[in-house]
Amino acid sequence: MEHQTETQKKVKTSEFPDPFEQARIERGYGDIDDQNDPVTMLLRLKDVRKTAHNWKTFISGATPGRIVVPSEVAIRDIRQIPFEVDPPEHKDYRNLVEPWFKRPLEEEYTAKMTKIIEELVDEVIAKDDIEVVSDFSLKLQSRCLTLLLNIPYEEAETWIGWGVHVFRSEESSTDADKANILFDYLDEQIDRAAENPSDDLYSLLLSSEVNGKKMTKEEVKGVMILTFAGGRDTVINAVTNSLAYFAEHPKSLERLRQEPEIVGKAVEELVRYFSPLTHMGRVVTEDTKVCEHAIKNDSRVSMCWASANRDSAAFENPNEVVLDRKINPHVAFGFSHHNCLGATHARQILKVLINTLANKVGSIEIKNYKENIEEWGEFNRKVGFDNITMNIKGK
Ligand code: EMZ
């Protein structure tokens, strides 16, 4: 084995460095440009939490697409629901969809998910080298999404064909042609469900009322876009990154096999460490100040979950994965009333995945990879892998 001194220590493939540390400690924020609509990124856990709570000064219900960074204003004009709606209306939508998005806790749902994931793990064990992002994580995300929508399993094939992100491509971080594929698809699906109602999410939404009024097709589309877009690259990265982590920490996988009761804590810790969604924006409704920094009315801020999750004011050894971390107030799923609607589904995916890997996998070897580095002004943040080839062997 190659000898490495402390200073030469190689960064592991599964390590996710924190690019925000210095700015977080010294200033608490970072200014970035995004398509000529600048964003002040808030880096401290305390400020991120305060901002998430304060929906009057920091709104979500701005021009559709503007709270997302990179902004999606140029590629969509449909409002995502409940994501781009503020209180009090937000609550009506949220109350409507919340029970549906808690279904992943049901036994039957978990059983189906376990079958999907076990099959996929068996499949990759049987093969030699596989490219994990496209041959594993994308398939897993798409197949599990059929459960969340409650539609036939075969439909996943269509979504697998769309690739990792529904709004981004290799050519562009906001790709209008790509977005239109999703929008046209949803129009078709909504029309289908309107004509032939079933027990899927489209039909439920179409038959629902909010504030005494039937949901319009436009509103249904707003919920569906969120369901497709919000949990796609995020889940794919979380799954891929978890595999990379276990490839380099086989003892952790063995520990999870022997102590399955800590799997819930392990999921929270991996999600904290990876922070699959770097940040989420808000639009400011009055001149204000954060960290002694003036922020102008109608400008944008973002709550940087990835930075907040490494804030040493809240986390001991923030750059280490502590599988059974006792106190873990992370904000990887956001914070306050807009916290992630799909979190129950995402957590269940990671739990089932970890249990399945622990029971079936003997070793994982990383062959080669290309990191996915997001560039936010002065910050370069690794969020996952564009591709990563592994050899996964069974027990
Ligand atoms: C939006 C966002 C939601 C956005 C929780 O995040 O996810 C992004 O991936 C999408 O591009 O439109 O849905």
Side-chain angles (χ1 to χ4, degrees):
M1 233 188 110
E2 200 183 321
H3 179 74
Q4 285 161 358
T5 63
E6 222 17 64
T7 44
Q8 289 171 320
K9 211 167 121 193
K10 211 175 137 212
V11 176
K12 283 188 169 171
T13 308
S14 65
E15 243 173 85
F16 286 73
D18 168 23
F20 306 107
E21 185 177 12
Q22 198 184 347
R24 183 175 59 240
I25 293 169
E26 288 175 3
R27 282 174 282 147
Y29 66 91
D31 282 320
I32 61 166
D33 179 52
D34 170 30
Q35 303 161 66
N36 299 318
D37 190 4
V39 180
T40 299
M41 295 175 76
L42 306 177
L43 304 176
R44 295 178 183 151
L45 182 65
K46 209 169 118 229
D47 294 324
V48 161
R49 286 213 190 108
K50 257 169 60 187
T51 305
H53 264 316
N54 184 355
W55 54 268
K56 286 191 173 153
T57 306
F58 303 99
I59 61 167
S60 296
T63 309
R66 196 166 171 224
I67 63 165
V68 184
V69 195
S71 165
E72 293 170 354
V73 167
I75 56 162
R76 66 175 165 94
D77 45 27
I78 296 180
R79 183 170 301 286
Q80 291 185 24
I81 296 174
F83 170 64
E84 291 172 316
V85 181
D86 289 305
E89 291 78 21
H90 167 264
K91 191 87 197 136
D92 302 324
Y93 290 114
R94 183 84 191 208
N95 285 345
L96 167 68
V97 289
E98 191 86 46
W100 182 273
F101 281 82
K102 289 268 185 266
R103 288 162 49 254
L105 296 174
E106 293 167 9
E107 217 170 287
E108 201 193 324
Y109 192 107
T110 314
K112 286 185 187 161
M113 184 182 270
T114 305
K115 187 162 174 278
I116 289 175
I117 295 179
E118 284 185 349
E119 254 176 44
L120 199 51
V121 169
D122 286 340
E123 212 176 286
V124 296
I125 285 174
K127 288 185 188 161
D128 283 336
D129 294 355
I130 59 142
E131 197 289 286
V132 171
V133 177
S134 54
D135 284 342
F136 187 79
S137 310
L138 173 62
K139 289 182 182 173
L140 189 154
Q141 188 276 343
S142 297
R143 290 175 185 170
C144 289
L145 188 62
T146 62
L147 300 177
L148 192 59
L149 269 57
N150 204 28
I151 58 167
Y153 179 75
E154 295 68 40
E155 196 63 17
E157 288 308 312
T158 305
W159 313 332
I160 292 168
W162 294 344
V164 170
H165 206 287
V166 291
F167 292 136
R168 293 179 213 155
S169 59
E170 275 182 25
E171 295 77 49
S172 170
S173 65
T174 46
D175 186 324
D177 293 340
K178 223 173 157 182
N180 285 330
I181 296 177
L182 173 65
F183 298 159
D184 292 346
Y185 172 84
L186 289 177
D187 286 336
E188 263 173 41
Q189 294 293 315
I190 291 167
D191 287 342
R192 172 196 56 78
E195 269 164 45
N196 289 306
S198 66
D199 52 3
D200 62 15
L201 177 57
Y202 301 98
S203 307
L204 169 89
L205 294 171
L206 284 165
S207 67
S208 296
E209 285 187 3
V210 171
N211 255 335
K213 269 212 235 124
K214 254 208 150 166
M215 291 263 278
T216 64
K217 282 188 176 178
E218 177 96 354
E219 287 174 309
V220 172
K221 196 171 167 185
V223 177
M224 296 310 302
I225 295 173
L226 177 62
T227 308
F228 273 92
R232 193 155 175 92
D233 52 323
T234 43
V235 167
I236 290 171
N237 281 332
V239 168
T240 308
N241 299 351
S242 298
L243 279 179
Y245 172 78
F246 289 120
E248 294 186 329
H249 300 86
K251 283 193 188 131
S252 296
L253 196 55
E254 178 54 25
R255 179 172 175 202
L256 282 154
R257 197 179 65 82
Q258 287 179 8
E259 298 171 58
E261 65 280 5
I262 68 165
V263 71
K265 285 204 170 73
V267 166
E268 297 312 311
E269 177 64 350
L270 290 172
V271 172
R272 176 194 73 85
Y273 184 74
F274 300 140
S275 296
L277 184 69
T278 301
H279 55 167
M280 183 48 69
R282 294 286 185 266
V283 172
V284 182
T285 55
E286 61 187 338
D287 289 353
T288 182
K289 256 187 177 181
V290 184
C291 300
E292 300 302 303
H293 181 54
I295 299 181
K296 280 215 159 335
N297 183 20
D298 199 40
S299 64
R300 302 198 293 161
V301 300
S302 81
M303 299 160 288
C304 187
W305 320 119
S307 169
N309 282 340
R310 300 291 179 98
D311 193 332
S312 57
F315 304 98
E316 236 175 81
N317 301 325
N319 298 315
E320 262 170 52
V321 175
V322 181
L323 275 190
D324 60 349
R325 191 179 281 275
K326 305 282 176 310
I327 303 165
N328 197 350
H330 73 78
V331 288
F333 289 115
F335 188 67
S336 197
H337 51 292
H338 277 294
N339 69 2
C340 179
L341 182 60
T344 311
H345 179 74
R347 287 183 160 115
Q348 206 66 329
I349 286 180
L350 291 174
K351 263 188 212 165
V352 173
L353 174 68
I354 291 175
N355 287 337
T356 307
L357 294 176
N359 289 326
K360 288 184 179 272
V361 167
S363 72
I364 308 176
E365 190 191 343
I366 299 174
K367 293 292 181 79
N368 52 63
Y369 58 89
K370 183 169 175 281
E371 293 182 338
N372 176 358
I373 310 277
E374 297 177 341
E375 290 171 19
W376 307 110
E378 69 190 278
F379 311 113
N380 290 329
R381 171 168 200 252
K382 172 171 158 189
V383 66
F385 302 89
D386 286 337
N387 56 66
I388 179 163
T389 301
M390 300 187 196
N391 191 305
I392 302 175
K393 289 206 164 69
K395 278 204 178 298

